């Protein structure tokens, strides 16, 4: 058991934390969980209200679903706030969930009363929540929401399309800014990737509009592409259909060409363009120098040592995948591959380097660079699983544990 302050709380000092860990680990030696003690404002929307609540969050991996982390919390307010009784209350609930309850699981429902189809379940007796315990319901999907972590069940079958939304997105326009519920979809239509956004009074109305736009694009009798998009001529291959208004970067070849081989490419380097083959042939120092210059010229604050390490992590993995897959397959999956690499990088920082992926660093050791290369070796070892994950519809067998050596995972020490 590990008891600590919450991320935004410094309620307990080091002596108190050590005492609590010693006391509760002695009293409950079989509890394998993390408990955070959080002192939170009771009403975040009312800044004049200074009332606070004590929230005790317990996180662990249940034996029924050991791959998935689960959690719950208990709150105290007013005269009830007492750290010892709060910690003991979450431990007692943990014991019920892991030892005494004969679970009866049901599928939870979203705010509109629709059953979540993605395998999540909640015990009707002890409130144990598991992510992937029940079979997935086919042809049903969940809209990932920016406003909360639960998501909303979609009304339509979006297949493999990634969908996300929010209850109150802000929109800036020439007529003035406004807030609206929105839904965004990133489908492939006739083999070409595009982006669709719908808006409405609520998420279901926004999805309805998004779906209607999607159907119009799917049923377009013949796309006629125009490089003039929103009043500007696009030379990078981005175009808009004159009939259904679908926009995509996949319909036309770029007008810009590689400065080495004259092959059409939209990838920039320096003052010109370069294809991926010749880009990866450039010395790494030249590519890093150009990347750092680009970051310095942007509005982002630059931490050169960390930006260099981040670039090496992503670019070296991309280069190895490019040579392993070949140009055509790499370019087909380039965006998804980069998402996976960045996800692995964040976990590499947290688990291997023991550091936040956002924290500034002034230097990196030779050993840390060696561990990065080791992580890249594991990426190539599991390239089949990566491709299966990209092409799959729904959960796959791919987890970050395939790329981070097991000695860095606390649960397996």
């Amino acid at each position: 058991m590990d008891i600590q302050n919450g991320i935004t709380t410094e309620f307990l000092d080091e002596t108190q934390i050590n005492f609590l860990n010693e006391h509760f680990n002695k009293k409950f030696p079989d509890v394998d969980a993390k408990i955070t003690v959080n002192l939170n404002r009771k009403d975040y929307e009312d800044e004049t209200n200074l009332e606070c609540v004590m929230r005790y969050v317990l996180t662990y991996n249940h034996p029924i679903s050991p791959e998935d982390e689960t959690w719950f919390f208990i709150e105290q307010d007013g005269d009830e706030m007492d750290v010892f009784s709060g910690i003991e209350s979450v431990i007692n609930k943990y014991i019920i969930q892991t030892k005494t309850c004969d679970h009866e699981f049901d599928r939870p429902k979203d705010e509109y009363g629709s059953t979540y189809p993605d395998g999540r379940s909640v015990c009707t007796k002890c409130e144990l929540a598991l992510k992937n315990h029940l079979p997935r319901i086919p042809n049903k999907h969940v809209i990932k929401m920016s406003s909360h972590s639960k998501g909303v069940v979609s009304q339509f079958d979006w297949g493999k399309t990634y969908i996300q939304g929010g209850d109150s997105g802000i929109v800036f326009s020439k007529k003035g800014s406004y807030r609206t519920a929105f839904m965004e979809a990133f489908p492939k239509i006739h083999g070409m990737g595009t982006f669709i956004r719908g808006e409405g009074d609520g998420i279901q109305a926004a999805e309805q509009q998004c779906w209607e736009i999607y159907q119009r694009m799917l049923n377009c009798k013949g796309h006629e592409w125009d490089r003039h998009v929103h009043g500007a001529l696009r030379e990078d291959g981005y175009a808009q259909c004159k009939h259904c208004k679908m926009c995509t970067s996949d319909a036309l070849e770029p007008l810009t060409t590689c400065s080495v081989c004259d092959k059409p490419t939209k990838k920039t380097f320096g003052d010109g363009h370069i294809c991926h083959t010749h880009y990866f042939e450039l010395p790494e120092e030249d590519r890093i120098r150009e990347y750092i210059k680009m970051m310095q010229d942007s509005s982002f604050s630059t931490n050169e040592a960390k930006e260099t390490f981040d670039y090496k992590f992503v670019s070296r993995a991309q280069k190895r995948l490019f040579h392993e897959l070949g140009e055509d397959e790499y370019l087909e999956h380039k965006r998804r591959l980069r998402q996976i690499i960045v996800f692995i990088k964040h976990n590499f920082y947290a688990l291997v380097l023991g550091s936040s992926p956002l924290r500034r660093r002034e230097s990196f050791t030779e050993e840390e660079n060696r561990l990065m290369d080791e992580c890249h070796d594991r990426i190539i070892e599991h390239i089949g699983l990566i491709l299966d994950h990209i092409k799959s519809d729904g959960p796959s067998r791919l987890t970050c544990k395939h790329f981070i050596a097991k000695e860095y995972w606390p649960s397996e020490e």
Side-chain angles (χ1 to χ4, degrees):
M1 182 186 338
D2 180 21
I3 301 170
Q4 55 188 252
N5 281 314
I7 295 176
T8 60
T9 302
E10 296 181 357
F11 179 74
L12 303 169
D13 63 30
E14 185 175 354
T15 301
Q16 292 169 326
I17 290 173
N18 290 337
F19 178 78
L20 289 170
N21 274 293
E22 182 178 350
H23 172 79
F24 283 104
N25 274 290
K26 184 176 180 180
K27 187 173 182 179
F28 300 97
D30 297 328
V31 173
D32 183 11
K34 181 176 79 173
I35 299 171
T36 60
V37 181
N38 305 266
L39 183 62
N40 299 336
R41 205 166 71 230
K42 192 170 186 177
D43 185 355
Y44 277 100
E45 295 183 2
D46 182 4
E47 295 185 2
T48 64
N49 188 344
L50 301 180
E51 289 184 89
C52 291
V53 294
M54 197 77 80
R55 174 179 287 190
Y56 305 89
V57 182
L58 188 146
T59 307
Y60 73 106
N61 295 75
H62 196 281
I64 293 178
S65 184
E67 293 294 323
D68 297 317
E69 193 174 71
T70 188
W71 63 278
F72 62 85
F73 68 87
I74 290 175
E75 286 186 342
Q76 299 171 328
D77 63 0
D79 296 334
E80 296 179 356
M81 288 195 289
D82 174 78
V83 173
F84 278 84
S85 64
I87 293 174
E88 189 147 342
S89 66
V90 291
I91 291 174
N92 287 333
K93 185 168 181 176
Y94 166 91
I95 292 171
I96 292 171
Q97 289 188 347
T98 58
K99 305 291 185 185
T100 62
C101 184
D102 54 338
H103 302 294
E104 292 183 4
F105 289 103
D106 197 5
R107 297 183 190 269
K109 296 181 179 181
D110 71 5
E111 60 198 87
Y112 297 98
S114 298
T115 300
Y116 284 109
D118 52 2
R120 70 184 78 179
S121 61
V122 176
C123 176
T124 57
K125 297 180 178 180
C126 71
E127 300 178 328
L128 170 63
L130 299 177
K131 293 179 182 177
N132 300 300
H133 181 58
L134 297 176
R136 181 180 176 85
I137 300 174
N139 306 321
K140 292 285 187 179
H141 312 277
V142 177
I143 304 170
K144 184 178 180 181
M145 299 290 286
S146 59
S147 50
H148 58 79
S149 61
K150 294 181 179 179
V152 171
V153 179
S154 65
Q155 304 165 88
F156 304 100
D157 182 3
W158 289 92
K160 297 181 180 181
T161 297
Y162 179 80
I163 51 178
Q164 64 184 23
D167 292 318
S168 182
I170 187 166
V171 178
F172 298 96
S173 70
K174 294 179 180 179
K175 297 180 180 180
S177 63
Y178 61 93
R179 287 189 174 275
T180 181
F182 67 93
M183 152 112 180
E184 296 171 339
F186 303 81
K188 275 203 167 185
I189 298 175
H190 307 140
M192 297 171 287
T194 190
F195 164 76
I196 304 171
R197 178 183 171 94
E199 298 178 359
D201 292 337
I203 185 61
Q204 291 190 327
E207 184 191 5
Q208 178 71 44
Q209 185 185 87
C210 199
W211 180 260
E212 290 171 0
I213 296 170
Y214 180 41
Q215 296 306 302
R216 185 181 72 228
M217 293 176 178
L218 276 175
N219 296 317
C220 185
K221 294 182 179 179
H223 296 300
E224 187 178 351
W225 301 108
D226 188 350
R227 294 185 188 271
H228 290 86
V229 182
H230 305 309
L233 174 65
R234 299 288 295 261
E235 295 187 336
D236 57 1
Y238 193 81
Q240 184 178 53
C241 175
K242 293 180 179 179
H243 306 295
C244 69
K245 305 305 179 184
M246 172 181 165
C247 291
T248 181
S249 59
D250 299 330
L252 301 176
E253 282 195 337
L255 298 176
T256 50
T257 58
C258 175
S259 59
V260 179
C261 65
D262 288 331
K263 182 177 181 177
T265 181
K266 58 187 173 185
K267 185 169 184 61
T268 59
F269 186 79
D271 295 328
H273 291 79
I274 193 168
C275 67
H276 281 81
T277 296
H278 290 108
Y279 176 75
F280 287 128
E281 288 180 358
L282 292 171
E284 186 177 62
E285 314 86 73
D286 293 350
R287 290 186 278 120
I288 291 173
R289 190 182 308 113
E290 182 64 25
Y291 176 76
I292 296 298
K293 179 180 181 299
M294 179 192 71
M295 295 299 291
Q296 290 173 340
D297 291 343
S298 71
S299 59
F300 297 104
S301 174
T302 303
N303 175 200
E304 188 166 334
K306 185 174 181 303
E307 296 291 354
T308 298
F309 188 86
D310 285 355
Y311 175 84
K312 286 180 179 178
F313 195 104
V314 175
S315 181
R316 287 181 181 179
Q318 288 175 320
K319 182 176 180 178
R320 293 188 64 173
L321 287 165
F322 179 82
H323 290 302
E324 186 75 20
L325 297 173
E327 182 178 26
D328 291 343
E329 189 166 16
Y330 172 83
L331 292 179
E332 181 183 356
H333 304 302
K334 179 167 70 73
R335 182 180 63 84
R336 292 294 309 279
L337 288 170
R338 192 181 191 286
Q339 290 173 347
I340 291 171
I341 294 168
V342 171
F343 171 72
I344 295 169
K345 175 173 72 71
H346 277 60
N347 280 273
F348 180 84
Y349 267 103
L351 296 171
V352 180
L353 303 187
S355 173
S356 165
L358 303 178
R359 186 177 301 161
R360 295 176 68 87
R361 289 278 300 265
E362 299 307 319
S363 63
F364 289 82
T365 66
E366 289 186 12
E367 175 63 10
E368 288 172 330
N369 278 273
R370 186 194 68 78
L371 290 170
M372 172 177 62
D373 292 334
E374 181 181 285
C375 184
H376 291 159
D377 289 339
R378 295 170 72 89
I379 289 175
I380 299 303
E381 287 174 14
H382 295 285
I383 193 169
L385 275 178
I386 291 174
L387 293 177
D388 287 345
H389 174 78
I390 289 173
K391 298 172 183 178
S392 68
D393 181 15
S396 73
R397 294 182 295 127
L398 185 70
T399 73
C400 199
K401 291 188 178 184
H402 290 102
F403 313 109
I404 306 297
K406 66 180 181 179
E407 59 262 29
Y408 297 107
W409 291 88
S411 61
E412 296 186 7
E413 287 182 347

